[in-house]
Amino acid sequence: MATPSSLPAVIAALAANTLVTLLKFVAFFLSGSGAMLSEAIHSAADTGNQLLLFIGLKRGARQGDEEFPYGYGGERFVFGLLSAAGIFFIGCGVTVYHGIEGLRHPHATSVNVVTFVVLGLSFLIEGSALLFAARSIAAQRGSMPFFRYVREKADPASVAILLEDGAAVLGLLLAAIGILASYYTGSPVWDAIASILVGLLLGYVAIHLVTQNRDLLIGMAVPDGVEETFVRVLRERPSVRGVRDVKSRRITPEVYKLKAEVTFDAAFLAARLDQALPAQPGALSGAERERTLRVVADGALRAISSEIDDIEVAVRAVIPEARHIDIEVDHHIDERIADSIRERASLRATSAEAST
């Protein structure tokens, strides 16, 4: 399986958050700010979560084997869930708890120029990571609107990085406002309120990511319009008489599984088999019957197999993510084909008799 396109964004975010975490903890030890501690915890949680995403992407890129023939792509969703749980319990839970404690037992903070320098540097680093993540997604979306692509088709790892970096930038703004308000009013309450708001922001991000990864683990359908395109390609084939029971699944954002039951057109297949039928009179009776039936059966299998291969090529030409395509032949088709073959055989035998 190919390396996911979200991997560079994950690596960039991991490096950025590692540096920012160190800066924020230094600022917290120098200032004692609750909002700064919340931001440090936030960045530490983001660093751990992005490490989990990195592990999930690397493990999910492994090729399929006998035990997992469709590959290991689902591992990225498992690690995505672990990452989201980390955001919720560590990022949201600890941060909100610290903010509530700050309201219950307020204590004065020591704010100095170092605090604001760290906030400014953190903002530049987090903002750069956010811009990199947004550009990575924009490069993949094609003609699809940016936010629609994020909602419907983007890799959950890319969405996680985008949301976490966005929450980091917004969290820094909230922390700066809280610290400034506490500094000018002399009340640590504003710092605690900022801490709670940062925690709630992380809680929202975590719930969104849990929902998205849960849907993909269960097996959600492909994005809107893909199934319709699949059915259209099938119906455009001269060999296809009907399409039913269409199902789809996203194995990963880059790999789809498509399935449909297809009724092949009897006349089309009969025409493909026409040359396989012997022209001799009595080819379907007497001693020649068994040999003729084997020739026809082999021709039928070859015709259907070849047509299914051609259908798969046609589908992948317009849906390159369709790596696994299951075409099931409608079981009612055999009688129609047999009737058509018998009719053609009878006509050819009659024609041969007339010519002799």
Side-chain angles (χ1 to χ4, degrees):
M1 190 172 293
T3 300
S5 56
S6 55
L7 189 59
V10 172
I11 294 174
L14 179 60
N17 274 287
T18 300
L19 177 58
V20 168
T21 299
L22 295 174
L23 289 173
K24 288 179 179 178
F25 271 114
V26 169
F28 163 70
F29 287 124
L30 292 175
S31 67
S33 165
M36 185 58 73
L37 176 60
S38 297
E39 275 299 302
I41 294 171
H42 175 181
S43 292
D46 281 353
T47 302
N49 296 332
Q50 285 150 12
L51 181 60
L52 286 173
L53 291 176
F54 175 79
I55 294 172
L57 289 173
K58 295 297 287 185
R59 289 179 62 85
R62 291 178 294 168
Q63 296 290 339
D65 52 30
E66 291 184 2
E67 190 173 4
F68 297 95
Y70 288 107
Y72 291 81
E75 282 214 50
R76 71 172 77 175
F77 309 139
V78 174
F79 280 88
L81 277 175
L82 292 174
S83 173
I87 296 173
F88 187 82
F89 290 107
I90 300 176
C92 172
V94 174
T95 302
V96 170
Y97 172 79
H98 190 272
I100 293 173
E101 284 297 299
L103 290 177
R104 292 179 60 199
H105 308 289
H107 63 277
T109 59
S110 175
V111 180
N112 52 45
V113 67
V114 175
T115 304
F116 294 104
V117 168
V118 169
L119 284 172
L121 286 174
S122 299
F123 186 86
L124 288 175
I125 296 171
E126 297 280 19
S128 298
L130 174 62
L131 184 61
F132 185 85
R135 285 180 174 176
S136 297
I137 292 177
Q140 302 160 23
R141 68 183 178 88
S143 59
M144 185 179 292
F146 181 85
F147 290 106
R148 182 184 172 191
Y149 180 84
V150 170
R151 288 194 308 270
E152 298 181 3
K153 198 173 179 181
D155 185 346
S158 295
V159 176
I161 294 300
L162 187 69
L163 289 177
E164 287 179 13
D165 288 343
V169 170
L170 184 55
L172 282 168
L173 292 176
L174 291 172
I177 292 171
I179 291 171
L180 279 171
S182 294
Y183 177 76
Y184 283 110
T185 63
S187 172
V189 170
W190 297 107
D191 189 63
I193 290 174
S195 180
I196 293 173
L197 291 176
V198 171
L200 294 176
L201 177 64
L202 292 174
Y204 167 78
V205 170
I207 291 171
H208 178 83
L209 293 177
V210 165
T211 302
Q212 186 180 44
N213 283 281
R214 172 252 183 201
D215 291 345
L216 288 164
L217 271 175
I218 291 175
M220 67 186 302
V222 296
D224 291 343
V226 175
E227 277 194 17
E228 290 79 359
T229 301
F230 177 47
V231 173
R232 176 179 58 78
V233 173
L234 292 177
R235 292 189 184 280
E236 287 176 351
R237 302 291 300 180
S239 61
V240 174
R241 182 176 178 181
V243 180
R244 59 187 292 274
D245 195 29
V246 177
K247 291 185 176 68
S248 65
R249 177 173 182 170
R250 276 187 259 191
I251 295 178
T252 70
E254 303 88 9
V255 178
Y256 300 160
K257 180 180 179 180
L258 302 174
K259 174 260 179 188
E261 289 187 9
V262 171
T263 301
F264 285 108
D265 182 75
F268 178 89
L269 292 177
R272 296 280 295 268
L273 296 174
D274 188 52
Q275 293 183 350
L277 281 171
Q280 299 93 333
L284 290 176
S285 63
E288 292 293 317
R289 179 179 176 82
E290 182 177 354
R291 188 183 69 82
T292 301
L293 288 176
R294 289 189 178 188
V295 170
V296 172
D298 181 70
L301 291 173
R302 288 178 180 274
I304 293 174
S305 175
S306 175
E307 184 59 23
I308 289 176
D309 289 342
D310 291 343
I311 287 173
E312 291 179 354
V313 170
V315 170
R316 292 192 181 103
V318 293
I319 310 174
E321 299 90 349
R323 301 274 289 278
H324 306 285
I325 303 172
D326 293 337
I327 303 296
E328 297 183 7
V329 179
D330 186 346
H331 69 278
H332 296 298
I333 191 171
D334 296 334
E335 295 179 4
R336 290 192 293 268
I337 294 177
D339 289 342
S340 180
I341 291 172
R342 281 194 291 268
E343 181 181 352
R344 283 175 173 266
S346 176
L347 290 174
R348 293 185 65 173
T350 302
S351 176
E353 290 176 355
S355 64
T356 57

